[in-house]
Amino acid sequence: MPTLSNLAAVVVAPGVDYFPGLLDRAEQEALRDGILAILVEAPPFRPRMPRTGKPFSVRMSNCGPLGWVSDETGYRYQPTHPETGRAWPEMPPRLLEIWRLLAPDAPPPEACLINLYDANAKMGLHQDRDEQELAAPVVSLSLGDSALFRLGGRERGDRTRSLKLQSGDAIAFGGPARLAFHGIDRITPGSSTLLAEGGRINLTLRRVSRSE
Ligand code: MD3
Ligand code: FE
């Protein structure tokens, strides 16, 4: 198993451990290929906002026992793809290893949300609070074009700061940061050669259910 190039965390805020360049190019390529294979089995879908049905600009898929989906009826985790009805593909073992390294005290992740950004996609400021287990951190990995990530506090009106997330970067959000507001303001097209078609893939690993 290849080694991670940089396991030194930069604590950018309480509970936010940033690992710039955690994955070297070979690791990024291996992960990319694993995710592209998953997207054949579990094709990207476009989530819709609860109530209004307004489509997200980001397309999504999932791997692992549970996947996050959103439509007119609400946000939820479910074991099957919303369009094919099939179980989500298994999580690549390498993702489970990265989780063990970055979240050593947490039970294993149950969901890996795959967010797909084209040149115009963004994600508005929000909290991740659809999980029963809020003691476990959320671990995020970035592949492809860079993104301008915005991180706030636990209240929507709190001051925010911006961070550029690049291909191969990882961040773990735990403790006081677990319910921080966050979003993606924009991506920078052409900033990475990892994805042949351009764009950005974000992988977000989460523990969903409580494990006493
Ligand atoms: C801070 N994804 O899927 S990853 C999401 O890049 C999501 O696609 C963004 O926000 C993306 O929910 C941001 C960084 C991230 C993920 C989860 C967090 C930051 C977080 C959970 C709590 C606090
Ligand atoms: Fe989020």
Side-chain angles (χ1 to χ4, degrees):
M1 197 61 87
T3 50
L4 296 170
S5 38
N6 162 30
L7 244 180
V10 181
V11 180
V12 300
V16 183
D17 292 347
Y18 178 39
F19 301 83
L22 180 75
L23 308 177
D24 67 16
R25 177 73 184 206
E27 282 277 316
Q28 294 172 43
E29 289 173 355
L31 195 51
R32 171 199 65 196
D33 292 346
I35 296 300
L36 293 178
I38 284 168
L39 294 176
V40 174
E41 299 305 313
F45 61 93
R46 195 176 296 280
R48 301 181 300 279
M49 288 297 289
R51 296 194 316 279
T52 65
K54 183 177 187 284
F56 283 44
S57 62
V58 176
R59 290 180 309 144
M60 296 181 176
S61 189
N62 291 272
C63 56
L66 290 173
W68 188 88
V69 303
S70 181
D71 61 21
E72 285 79 351
T73 68
Y75 308 126
R76 62 193 174 275
Y77 284 93
Q78 62 181 45
T80 55
H81 190 288
E83 291 170 359
T84 70
R86 292 198 298 268
W88 301 108
E90 281 183 21
M91 250 186 246
R94 193 69 183 129
L95 285 180
L96 298 171
E97 273 189 55
I98 293 169
W99 173 272
R100 279 205 303 274
L101 285 167
L102 270 49
D105 301 327
E110 296 170 297
C112 173
L113 175 61
I114 303 168
N115 291 142
L116 303 165
Y117 292 81
D118 67 16
N120 301 309
K122 50 193 165 43
M123 190 178 286
L125 207 64
H126 67 277
Q127 288 172 301
D128 289 19
R129 48 188 306 165
D130 300 326
E131 301 75 30
Q132 294 167 307
E133 182 54 275
L134 294 173
V138 174
V139 170
S140 152
L141 296 168
S142 293
L143 294 174
D145 285 337
S146 302
L148 191 62
F149 170 66
R150 186 189 291 269
L151 177 66
R154 266 185 282 194
E155 309 283 342
R156 183 171 284 279
D158 288 348
R159 194 165 39 81
T160 64
R161 58 181 295 184
S162 291
L163 220 60
K164 183 166 93 168
L165 296 181
Q166 293 180 278
S167 195
D169 291 355
I171 319 193
F173 301 85
R178 179 62 182 77
L179 289 175
F181 277 86
H182 59 279
I184 295 291
D185 288 340
R186 59 181 159 80
I187 77 159
T188 305
S191 49
S192 164
T193 57
L194 186 71
L195 305 175
E197 329 257 273
R200 170 172 186 262
I201 298 178
N202 176 261
L203 306 175
T204 300
L205 300 165
R206 300 189 181 92
R207 178 74 193 188
V208 177
S209 56
R210 264 206 291 261
S211 67
E212 34 63 63

